[in-house]
Amino acid sequence: MAAPLLRLTKAKREALSVLADYFCLNTRMAAELLDVSERAVQAHYQRLIAAQLVYAKSYESETYEKGALPKAYGLTDSGVSVAFKEGFATDSTKTFKGHALSTIEHELMISKFHLELAKLAEQNGWDLRWRQRDLDKKEVRPDGLFRVNDNNFF
C-alpha cells in the first residue's frame, strides 16, 4: 500500500525535525520541544505515521499505571530520507526501525538527557554538539557522544 501524499507544513516539518534531532521522543517530550499540547503532537504524528514518515511504538513505562499505553516516536527510513533532503538532519538522525520494545525506555532516557543538556547549554551559552549515529563501536559501545565547548564526552 502506497503512502498517502502529505503536504509538509511548517508544523509537520518541525515535528519531523525534533525526531531528526533527538532520535526518539515520547508525547510529553515532543510537546515540550514543539511548544504545543500533547494532543497536537499526537495529531501531527498520526498524520506522519499515515504518510509512513514516523513510527510509533506503544511501551509500558516503569511509571505506567492505567489508561492508554504511552507511545515513543521515531523516524522511518523514509522519514530519515526526508530529513536529509529537507536539510534538517543532524548527527542523531537515524531510523527507529528495528528497535526492540525492551530498549524503548532506555532510548527515551537518552533523549531526555539530551533534551535537558540542550536546555542547560542554551541557558549558559554553551556550544553543544550531540552525535548518536555512525558511532565507532569496536571497543566502546557509547549510546551517544556529545561535546560542550570543545570538551568531548560519551
Side-chain angles (χ1 to χ4, degrees):
M1 177 179 190
L5 293 177
L6 178 79
R7 192 168 66 94
L8 199 56
T9 63
K10 182 180 182 228
K12 289 181 190 79
R13 191 177 197 285
E14 288 173 353
L16 286 171
S17 180
V18 295
L19 290 177
D21 198 18
Y22 288 89
F23 171 62
C24 172
L25 296 170
N26 63 23
T27 306
R28 183 171 294 140
M29 288 188 287
E32 180 180 341
L33 285 163
L34 296 167
D35 197 27
V36 297
S37 71
E38 291 184 23
R39 300 277 293 167
V41 166
Q42 292 166 339
H44 284 311
Y45 284 139
Q46 277 307 115
R47 290 182 193 100
L48 293 167
I49 290 165
Q52 299 179 3
L53 297 174
V54 169
Y55 283 121
K57 293 186 180 185
S58 297
Y59 67 98
E60 193 168 325
S61 71
E62 291 178 0
T63 59
Y64 173 76
E65 291 181 17
K66 63 179 181 175
L69 288 172
K71 290 190 178 179
Y73 300 98
L75 296 175
T76 64
D77 292 337
S78 297
V80 169
S81 295
V82 168
F84 278 96
K85 179 182 170 201
E86 295 290 324
F88 55 83
T90 70
D91 285 336
S92 295
T93 305
K94 60 183 182 176
T95 185
F96 195 49
K97 182 180 181 178
H99 275 76
L101 281 175
S102 61
T103 66
I104 297 296
E105 202 148 14
H106 176 78
E107 295 294 347
L108 288 168
M109 286 183 210
I110 294 166
S111 294
K112 183 67 174 168
F113 176 75
H114 181 184
L115 174 62
E116 294 300 322
L117 185 61
K119 285 194 282 190
L120 189 61
E122 185 176 334
Q123 291 168 357
N124 290 287
W126 299 340
D127 178 35
L128 172 65
R129 299 285 183 244
W130 183 276
R131 190 166 123 209
Q132 208 168 332
R133 110 179 118 80
D134 297 331
L135 301 174
D136 180 6
K137 296 184 176 186
K138 291 179 184 157
E139 295 182 29
V140 176
R141 297 188 58 84
D143 290 319
L145 300 173
F146 66 95
R147 185 177 78 212
V148 176
N149 296 340
D150 296 322
N151 295 304
N152 295 311
F153 303 95
F154 64 90

